[in-house]
Amino acid sequence: DIQMTQSPSSLSASVGERVTITCQASQDIRNYLNWFQQKPGKAPKLLIYGASNLETGVPSRFSGSGSGTDFTFTISSLQPEDFATYYCHQYDNVPYTFGQGTKLEIK
Amino acid sequence: EVQLVESGGGLVNPGGSLRLSCAVSGFTSSRYSMNWVRQAPGKGLEWVSSISSDSSNINYADSAKGRFTISRDNAKNSLYLQMNSLRDEDTAVYYCARDGRLDYWGQGTLVTVSS
């Protein structure tokens, strides 16, 4: 199984800050990497697919990059509604696997 | 508008069974693979199973193999998950999600396994 190592597991930041989350795959997953946002009591929401493609309707302050084994997710300027938990997810090989999540909290 | 609506969750004794359903609308379900993903209370996301658009390719997480069965009825725009021999550790919110990208999700249905 492909292990997804996501870091940090938690992050405290202020509105307007730039934040970055990384995800490392245990083997090459090409660009089959998603980033999701999840708020308490809600289903995950797809933000980035194919490592760097912004899902329709998602604000441009969200971005993703990387390929192979190393991936980065960035929020360029945090907004109040961005405080949530973020997950990376590989869909190159079954079993599909997720990172352990990054909880983004208000500083 | 794409919609996925899960149902069938509830409280069940260890060793019991449940059948989850996912009703989809707003897209041609026969064109997409479908998935079940679960989330234990306070924990992260775990992919459970996937089924191809024509049901020819089915996959399971190790935790589900031999106990869970995924199926679909494209004529009814529905996805199912038959869960047998349930364990305490199967307690979770179960989501259905579209495509390998998991681009659309339902709201989830809670399965609680407890005596």
Side-chain angles (χ1 to χ4, degrees), chain B residues 35-69:
Chain B
N35 301 267
W36 288 99
V37 177
R38 69 184 182 182
Q39 187 169 35
K43 302 297 185 182
L45 299 167
E46 180 189 15
W47 172 83
V48 173
S49 182
S50 66
I51 185 167
S52 61
S53 57
D54 63 357
S55 302
S56 62
N57 189 21
I58 288 174
N59 294 285
Y60 298 99
D62 285 347
S63 57
K65 281 179 187 173
R67 300 187 301 125
F68 294 3
T69 302

Side-chain angles (χ1 to χ4, degrees), chain B residues 10-87:
Chain B
L11 176 63
V12 62
N13 291 326
S17 298
L18 275 180
R19 189 193 195 208
L20 306 184
S21 299
C22 172
V24 308
S25 60
F27 65 98
T28 304
S29 61
S30 59
R31 294 182 181 175
Y32 292 89
S33 64
M34 297 293 296
N35 301 267
W36 288 99
V37 177
R38 69 184 182 182
Q39 187 169 35
K43 302 297 185 182
L45 299 167
E46 180 189 15
W47 172 83
V48 173
S49 182
S50 66
I51 185 167
S52 61
S53 57
D54 63 357
S55 302
S56 62
N57 189 21
I58 288 174
N59 294 285
Y60 298 99
D62 285 347
S63 57
K65 281 179 187 173
R67 300 187 301 125
F68 294 3
T69 302
I70 191 172
S71 62
R72 66 191 296 165
D73 185 336
N74 288 336
K76 294 183 177 180
N77 293 313
S78 293
L79 173 73
Y80 307 102
L81 187 68
Q82 176 67 43
M83 303 188 296
N84 299 329
S85 303
L86 283 162
R87 307 165 178 164

